[in-house]
Amino acid sequence: MTTRPGNTMSTKELRTALQGLEIFAAITEEQLDWLVSVSEPRVLADGEVLFRDGDEATCFHVLVSGGLVVTKVVDGREEVLTRHSTEEEDAAAEEHDGKPRAAHRFTGELPLLTDGSYVATASASGPATTVVAYPKPVFFEMLTRCHGVAAVLIPVLAWRIKSSEVQARKRATVEALGTLAAGLAHELNNPAAAVARAAQELVPALDRLTATAYAWGAAATEAERGALERLAGELDRLPPPETTDPLAQADAEEEISDWAQDAGAARAGLLGSGASDLGLELPWLRERLVDIGAGALPAALDHLAALLEARSLAAELRAAGPRISQLVAATRDYANLDRAPEQRFAVTDGLENTLVVLRSKLSGITVVRAYDPDLPELTGYPGELNQVWTNLVDNAAEAMEGAGTLTLRCYAEGVCMVVEITDTGRGIPEDVLPRIFEPFYTTKDVGKGTGLGLHLSYRIVTQRHHGSLTARSRPGETRMLVRLPLAA
């Protein structure tokens, strides 16, 4: 038996302790002798860490006395995943929680079996916690030597994987709602702010429009009023301005403002900004005001400035309203509210709604859509697939670090619909690629991921929709391919 600092157990005490554990209850005396000889007991002080999340998995640990608390940091928050205890009252309290009783007494088997790292942090809970460590080679030899150990371990292992997936699904739902809320708040901010600003400025703008209308009516002749009415009519028929050079627009604004000020207008700057926003230039404006005399021109320009201001505010309100309605509709469709779980749907709708929700994360990234026309509908669970699209697009955005090209392709191939999500990010290393869909496997920093996002996406595609999810990657190009059976 190997001893370590702090070990206070004799060989006889260790033998007795191991005999009392359910995981070793079915082994023979010869097997127990071997087990005692390879055991590495360790006594932990209260709060002392046994292993940390992200560390290479080196040992299988069996709890002999005291307790262990297993925690994981997710998005900056520490969550308690489970507690292991040898106290009789704890075991009795958890007897009916669906957890195999032996699960309270050992930990670390999953990362050893998957050749990975520890997926959480285990610390001693209470004084004089004693654990027995079995290094990785010893653990695998234990499974071949002691068949009774495997009989106890396998049901616990199955329960832990299932429990982790249930927790991950709940966490994924919460994260999806959080992403949805954050994206919606970000996207609603601009149109909502536009509505608030326009509503606040509309009343004084209407007051100015009324005052300038009176002044203009008093100063103008009938012919002059006709000239301004014709100009206003032309403004109604103007097409939306094309994207212009900001410097050229600023020059036009300054030129119109200076001319209006020289003509005696009281709000020359307002006229310049309103006219340049419509793409107007001074020669065009002067040509349409040529029939207005110098005496009435200041009143005409002030009234025109007030008219452009009121129309600009009304245009902002007209643009913001549909934008808000579009966001609400996209949110409803993304969350799959008020719909049957299984339904016929267009896969491109889910992709577009996902892009709306993740728009803030895609700023600086060029999005290319390559959807084949006349795509057939699918039958399935669009709400669950939206979680897949969100996960894949979010991973792609993170890999590109705010700059690159995201390409979404959608086409029919035989009896399947194929969705390709391609990014120009750093790529996935060749040795990592075969493992990305494994549960608990992650290349993200500790605390940044659970290692279940792609696994759950894989389950949704393969088990819920009977499709396939594969990945191809090289530096500068990572392509995720989702194949879904077409609706009958």
Side-chain angles (χ1 to χ4, degrees), residues 5-86:
N7 173 40
T8 59
M9 299 185 72
S10 66
T11 300
K12 182 178 180 180
E13 289 172 333
L14 177 60
R15 184 184 181 90
T16 301
L18 295 182
Q19 277 183 312
L21 299 177
E22 183 177 350
I23 188 171
F24 299 134
I27 65 176
T28 65
E29 289 294 320
E30 181 181 354
Q31 291 169 344
L32 182 59
D33 290 338
W34 173 81
L35 199 63
V36 170
S37 69
V38 296
S39 295
E40 298 182 2
R42 180 179 175 188
V43 178
L44 303 174
D46 187 18
E48 185 176 350
V49 173
L50 178 62
F51 55 78
R52 295 187 183 277
D53 187 3
D55 289 349
E56 180 187 356
T58 57
C59 291
F60 172 63
H61 296 96
V62 177
L63 181 64
V64 175
S65 64
L68 291 173
V69 58
V70 180
T71 61
K72 186 174 183 66
V73 176
V74 179
D75 296 330
R77 301 186 307 273
E78 187 176 49
E79 299 180 5
V80 176
L81 302 183
T82 187
R83 296 179 186 273
H84 303 272
S85 176
T86 59

Side-chain angles (χ1 to χ4, degrees), residues 352 355 358-371 393 396-397 400-409 420-425:
E352 288 300 310
L355 293 177
L358 295 179
R359 192 192 306 272
S360 60
K361 293 189 176 183
L362 297 173
S363 59
I365 293 174
T366 301
V367 178
V368 177
R369 298 167 174 83
Y371 304 150
V393 172
M400 289 186 284
E401 299 178 340
T405 301
L406 175 71
T407 303
L408 304 181
R409 291 191 63 206
E420 293 184 9
I421 298 178
T422 306
D423 68 73
T424 57

Side-chain angles (χ1 to χ4, degrees), residues 78 112 266 377:
E78 187 176 49
L112 290 179
E377 290 187 328

Side-chain angles (χ1 to χ4, degrees), residues 4 20 50 63-64 67 84 92 99 144 221 234 277 291-292 299 310 321 367 395 406 417 460 463 470:
R4 291 187 175 185
L50 178 62
L63 181 64
V64 175
H84 303 272
K99 179 189 298 184
T144 58
T221 65
E234 281 196 64
D277 285 345
D291 294 331
I292 298 177
V367 178
N395 285 350
L406 175 71
M417 172 84 71
I460 290 171
Q463 296 190 15
T470 57

